Amino acid sequence: MDVKIEESWKKQLQDEFEKPYFVQLTSFVKSEYATQTVYPPAKLIFNAFEQCPFDQVKVVILGQDPYHGPGQAHGLCFSVNDGVDFPPSLRNIFKEINADTGAPIPKSGNLERWAKQGVLLLNATLTVRAHTAGSHQKKGWEQFTDSVIHLVANKLENVVFILWGNYAISKGEFIDANKHLILKSVHPSPLSASRGFFGNHQFSTTNKYLTEHGKSTINW
């Protein structure tokens, strides 16, 4: 199957695109976009890959679902388009970055600037029906994004995996901690952020690890 995705990822994932589950997933997604309001816009489904080619991945941050409100989702987990109000989790992420590294709270919630530095901002499910959280879960996306995590974990070295909340942590159980740095904490949502997200120092810890392994740091 010919999937429109960044060339280095296409090369790595071509076998995945031929599997029956992915063919079924494609059919489901096309039908949803034809009959429902679905986010992100179809051309941005694989934006996380577009902005961060395979061989440039230094950090993986794992989300769950795209935002399901108008104008928010653009294919990068936790990120919103310029000019869109920060969702609560993103606001808390910026607060922790500020406390941890001293970086000022940015004006924009668009995290493409991270992706271009080697941060793969991967949602476990890449599409969602408007105003219906979880509506595209268990349709095949999770199998696809698991294969992406496996690929990064197996073929690259010294990647930082940042896993927030039980769902993300469970997705990272097969990552080799001797080969990569795995950082875990509660989710940055307002329900849990004060129970261990704030003060986790994961952004400075990431940069320290990257420096130790001869990689350029992320300007958070």
Side-chain angles (χ1 to χ4, degrees):
M1 180 182 293
D2 186 35
V3 175
K4 288 181 181 168
I5 193 169
E6 192 276 333
E7 207 53 47
S8 65
W9 284 105
K10 188 171 193 173
K11 198 169 157 188
Q12 296 292 337
L13 291 164
Q14 193 56 55
D15 289 350
E16 208 65 28
F17 299 145
E18 308 301 333
K19 291 179 180 175
Y21 89 87
F22 195 87
V23 176
Q24 288 177 340
L25 170 64
T26 302
S27 174
F28 165 76
V29 170
K30 281 182 176 170
S31 165
E32 283 285 287
Y33 274 93
T35 59
Q36 307 288 334
T37 302
V38 179
Y39 300 124
K43 65 181 184 195
L44 296 177
I45 291 173
F46 295 113
N47 196 25
F49 304 90
E50 200 63 43
Q51 302 295 332
C52 184
F54 175 71
D55 54 0
Q56 292 177 28
V57 175
K58 295 187 286 192
V59 180
V60 177
I61 298 179
L62 193 61
Q64 192 161 357
D65 250 20
Y67 295 121
H68 52 78
Q72 293 180 306
H74 65 130
L76 308 178
C77 72
F78 295 104
S79 178
V80 289
N81 283 303
D82 292 329
V84 175
D85 288 344
F86 299 166
S89 292
L90 183 58
R91 197 174 303 125
N92 286 339
I93 290 168
F94 288 153
K95 277 185 192 168
E96 174 57 22
I97 290 172
N98 173 250
D100 183 21
T101 70
I105 306 282
K107 299 275 193 293
S108 167
N110 187 329
L111 302 181
E112 282 184 7
R113 60 185 181 274
W114 294 2
K116 290 182 188 309
Q117 297 177 75
V119 182
L120 180 65
L121 293 158
L122 183 67
N123 274 316
T125 304
L126 297 188
T127 54
V128 68
R129 199 183 281 191
H131 310 297
T132 317
S135 48
H136 286 188
Q137 289 176 8
K138 300 188 176 145
K139 303 292 185 184
W141 278 131
E142 293 91 342
Q143 187 172 340
F144 173 70
T145 52
D146 273 355
S147 72
V148 171
I149 298 166
H150 272 286
L151 191 62
V152 172
N154 293 339
K155 292 204 172 182
L156 301 178
E157 290 189 4
N158 306 130
V159 173
V160 183
F161 288 86
I162 299 178
L163 310 175
W164 295 326
N166 291 335
Y167 182 80
I169 289 167
S170 72
K171 295 274 281 187
E173 284 173 353
F174 51 77
I175 300 165
D176 184 352
N178 295 313
K179 191 177 172 187
H180 303 286
L181 178 63
I182 305 167
L183 299 176
K184 305 173 188 175
S185 82
V186 297
H187 196 275
S189 81
L191 296 173
S192 55
S194 59
R195 300 202 307 269
F197 179 78
F198 291 133
N200 67 23
H201 300 293
Q202 290 182 346
F203 301 97
S204 59
T205 303
T206 295
N207 278 345
K208 182 169 180 284
Y209 180 85
L210 292 174
T211 299
E212 286 168 355
H213 291 87
K215 299 185 181 188
S216 56
T217 57
I218 307 300
N219 178 8
W220 300 110

